[in-house]
Amino acid sequence: MKEKGENTENYSTVTDAPDFDPSADAEGLYNAMKGIGSDKETILDLVTSRSNAQRQEIIAAYKSSFGQDLIEDLKYELTGKFERLIVSLMRTPAYHDAKEIHDAVKGAGTNEKCLIEIMASRNNKQIHEMVEAYKDAYGSDIEEDIIADTSGHFKKMLVVLLQGTRDESGVVDADLVEQDAQDLYAAGEEQWGTDEAKFIMILGNRSVTHLRMVFDEYEKITELSIEDSIKNELSGDFETLMLAVVQCIRSVPMFFARRLYKSMKGLGTADNTLIRIMISRSEIDMLDIRECFRLRYEKSLYNMIKDDTSGDYKRTLLNLCGGDDDLAGEFFPEAAQIAYKMWEISSMTKVQLRPTVRPASSFDPAADAQALRKAMKGFGTDEDAIIDIVAQRSNAQRQEIRQTFKSLLGRDLMKDLKSELSKNLERLIIGLMLSPAEFDAKMMRKAMEGAGTDEHALIEILVTRSNEEIHAMNAAYQAGYKKSLEEAIQSETSGHFCRILVSLVVKILNERMGLNVFCSRTNQELADACNAESDDMEMKFMSILCTRSFPHLRKVFQEFVRCSNKDIEQIIKKEMSGDVKNAFYAIVCSVKNQPSYFADRLYKAMKGLGTDDRALIRIMVSRCEIDLFNIRKEFKDTHDVSLHEFIQVETMIVSRSLCLLTLLVAVFSSLCGVFFSHGLCVSHILLLLLW
């Protein structure tokens, strides 16, 4: 399998043009800009089909032939983002990096993300050339300018990286690998406080090959990935920089795939970031970046650029991108290496699941029962009082409150809450008051009742629950709806999708299956399944994915990449479709990283117009006492915004929309306040569950 970083010149999208004639190109550009207006199509096609070295020859030929500065002429003729992109392409890589650093530190603020991206991803030669270019272009020392504009450990690590002294020999000392891993452990997880200097020294100087081995050894010692330890021990821009260094050590293309995704997702585009990366990587590893992008985000970089940009700016970026991987269907060696490493990390790392809701101290169920009754007596309801009690008690404590409410007051708490609350607030409070098994059973019922079926909800619940949780849910469904869950699923779904769900409902995963004994046999079964006809493939996948334990599957999927140079996710996306594909893909994502799977589900529930309130409530309620803290971390890592902020914005938008609608309909009637209040209450309780 290809070692990351090797032979990357074979993975560029911009190469030397054959039969190159700099004088002819210079004349072509001159003609495209003379007269009124300019021929932008000719300019972008010519510039993006020449290597940077050839562009420098064109600049010299242009001045020699016409006595003018080509870059100045381009600036004069072009405008906006298109001008910025074309002009940046005409600079050498070193001068382009120097300008980006200069722009990042000049003026009132500092663009820390730009500093981090460049300093974490460049090799020694690129760093040294950038330092010289900066001095030549701006007459000042880049180190002095960075020191003047940054502070603390963040500044120290930038200065270390700026020296360009990372060991690039490729020689690895096994004893030093073990020592570095122990030193990192001693500097962070083992002690109270963190020895940041040790992290800076090791991560800033050791070779890429050496550090990959250190990270593997570190995981064996701590049962934590180095990324998780950095998140636990460091903070702020220093944490972000160190994570970027680790990501680049693991895979520079995957690091840039993440950066490109974040530059385009959501409202607006970070054009400076998009331009900088597309230019700087087009002659190095853009093909690898494209495949890593598709591997991680299930969409080609080409199509995301196409959807997110426009005009000549878009055409130029697409030329640099070089092609649409969704059409090509290739799987480059770099992506296979990344997939293998992902599964290796997933199988080695022991994740400590952390809830956000814990049992309340000094718990008094009688006092809580009385307080809830008081909040619902008389005219109006004290929603805040209900929220503060329900959201800050564990589920076991809520069950005690339910029982005490009935024994003390002779009333059914659930019925009282239903009569006093409405809409999403009622769904959320009632969901929290149900036992986990009752809640799951109710969510399954809601997903199947009525005209349509919520297949995504069925998949999410059945894929992520343990044997014990599935069995408890089955019993609760039978007790609550006088029908088995298996029968309900069979009446609402069909075909292979129905068989997959039923297989999960009668879940008998062997959670103690010996990994080494069965792994190679299962891997062969999976390989055979991939070569089967469509119907056979789906049945064979079901027999493996729905019956093997998650630890077992992690090992199998890792071994599958090693043997086939393909990832199981790629096979599922390419060979399957519809609900069957969604179900198998959810299993694979959950096996790899279940908190990340839920983070993605939450993001999809809230992004775009409208919010999938049922999905939002279902996940927040079901995970708050299991792993919502982990989900929060994954959400922030992937989407660059905290789950807290995202919920606050999305639920407030819903509240305001309802309020405005009611204003228009009721013309300032008192109903307006009711809608607005309930919307705010939903936001309030969801945020309380996050703490």
Side-chain angles (χ1 to χ4, degrees), residues 367-531:
D368 284 347
Q370 294 284 5
L372 286 171
R373 178 61 187 149
K374 181 181 177 182
M376 293 184 282
K377 281 177 66 175
F379 184 75
T381 305
D382 186 351
E383 287 100 345
D384 284 340
I386 295 172
I387 288 169
D388 288 339
I389 293 171
V390 173
Q392 298 184 67
R393 306 291 184 269
S394 69
N395 192 273
Q397 290 175 332
R398 292 182 212 122
Q399 303 315 308
E400 285 191 61
I401 294 170
R402 280 176 69 178
Q403 184 61 45
T404 305
F405 195 91
K406 179 165 277 189
S407 61
L408 276 182
L409 305 169
R411 302 175 66 88
D412 187 314
L413 175 57
M414 303 297 271
K415 287 182 179 178
D416 282 2
L417 288 168
K418 286 178 182 178
S419 69
E420 293 294 325
L421 306 175
S422 64
K423 298 189 180 296
N424 284 335
L425 180 60
E426 178 204 336
R427 291 191 193 116
L428 187 46
I429 293 292
I430 294 298
L432 286 163
M433 292 305 302
L434 293 168
S435 71
E438 290 172 329
F439 180 70
D440 280 347
K442 183 175 182 179
M443 292 299 98
M444 290 293 291
R445 176 77 169 185
K446 290 290 183 185
M448 292 184 284
E449 70 181 1
T453 302
D454 186 347
E455 291 85 359
H456 288 292
L458 298 178
I459 292 168
E460 175 202 300
I461 295 169
L462 294 177
V463 162
T464 59
R465 301 314 192 247
S466 66
N467 287 357
E468 186 180 349
E469 289 167 333
I470 290 284
H471 295 154
M473 177 177 63
N474 278 329
Y477 196 96
Q478 180 73 53
Y481 306 108
K482 312 306 177 190
K483 184 179 185 180
S484 77
L485 183 52
E486 182 178 341
E487 290 172 331
I489 287 171
Q490 287 173 333
S491 67
E492 292 295 327
T493 60
S494 61
H496 287 309
F497 181 58
C498 175
R499 295 186 188 96
I500 292 167
L501 296 183
V502 169
S503 179
L504 293 170
V505 162
V506 296
K507 211 166 196 174
I508 50 171
L509 293 182
N510 188 345
E511 294 175 346
R512 297 181 182 83
M513 182 179 283
L515 299 184
N516 295 329
V517 176
F518 294 100
C519 183
S520 59
R521 189 178 73 194
T522 309
N523 181 56
Q524 185 57 52
E525 291 172 358
L526 192 59
D528 293 342
C530 292
N531 294 321

Side-chain angles (χ1 to χ4, degrees), residues 304-345:
M304 192 154 186
I305 291 171
K306 191 176 178 181
D307 293 343
D308 213 62
T309 58
S310 61
D312 296 312
Y313 175 57
K314 173 173 76 175
R315 284 202 57 211
T316 308
L317 289 171
L318 292 179
N319 282 1
L320 295 176
C321 182
D324 184 358
D325 295 306
D326 289 343
L327 295 175
E330 296 177 57
F331 196 70
F332 295 109
E334 175 71 22
Q337 178 72 29
I338 295 299
Y340 181 84
K341 194 63 188 176
M342 281 181 176
W343 286 117
E344 185 178 48
I345 292 170

